[in-house]
Amino acid sequence: QVQLVESGGGLVQAGGALRLSCAASGRTFSSYGMGWFRQAPGKEREFVAAINWSGGSTYYADSVKGRFTISRDNAKNTVYLQMSSLKPEDTAVYYCARDSSPHGGVYYSHTHYDYWGQGTQVTVSS
């Protein structure tokens, strides 16, 4: 059983920055790609960013490209989402997720992910 625990959310003013972390349990973290998704009230869950198992490939939603950076530290079983130039429309609960297959690519569809964290709230005030 894999557990994912997000942290780092909070309240920030527009233009500010936050770094989210997602700590994973288990010894196979380095074999799996990871993704970040978000869900705002009344909206569907949407893809934010993904990184492959080695960290050599990343993919971003157009809405966050150039502002957010996904990275991973396989020695710490942790994936990060560095968010900068935050906008009120970035307000959402942010979730990390693990790819369902090892040594895969980067995927934007939630159907590629089988384990999910509980989420962390990010609120950006205007």
Side-chain angles (χ1 to χ4, degrees), residues 51-58 70-72 74:
I51 188 166
N52 77 331
W53 58 278
S54 68
S57 182
T58 59
I70 189 171
S71 62
R72 65 190 297 157
N74 285 342

Side-chain angles (χ1 to χ4, degrees), residues 7 11 31 41 47 58-60 62 64-66 74 78 80 86-87 90 92 94 105 112 118-119:
S7 61
L11 173 64
S31 297
F47 168 78
T58 59
Y59 184 61
Y60 297 92
D62 287 344
V64 306
K65 201 173 295 182
N74 285 342
T78 301
Y80 304 97
L86 283 161
K87 305 175 181 180
D90 294 318
Y94 283 70
H112 270 281
Q118 84 289 349

Side-chain angles (χ1 to χ4, degrees), residues 47-111:
F47 168 78
V48 175
I51 188 166
N52 77 331
W53 58 278
S54 68
S57 182
T58 59
Y59 184 61
Y60 297 92
D62 287 344
S63 59
V64 306
K65 201 173 295 182
R67 300 189 298 122
F68 291 11
T69 301
I70 189 171
S71 62
R72 65 190 297 157
D73 185 338
N74 285 342
K76 295 182 178 180
N77 276 20
T78 301
V79 62
Y80 304 97
L81 186 68
Q82 178 68 49
M83 307 184 294
S84 60
S85 302
L86 283 161
K87 305 175 181 180
E89 50 264 43
D90 294 318
T91 295
V93 177
Y94 283 70
Y95 301 90
C96 67
R98 196 197 77 166
D99 189 358
S100 58
S101 298
H103 300 113
V106 288
Y107 306 104
Y108 64 86
S109 172
H110 70 276
T111 61

Side-chain angles (χ1 to χ4, degrees), residues 6-49:
E6 301 97 335
S7 61
L11 173 64
V12 63
Q13 288 188 331
L18 281 175
R19 188 177 80 157
L20 305 183
S21 299
C22 171
S25 65
R27 297 183 293 176
T28 61
F29 174 80
S30 61
S31 297
Y32 289 83
M34 298 293 294
W36 284 98
F37 292 77
R38 67 187 181 187
Q39 187 166 20
K43 295 188 176 182
E44 293 187 354
R45 177 176 43 189
E46 65 172 351
F47 168 78
V48 175

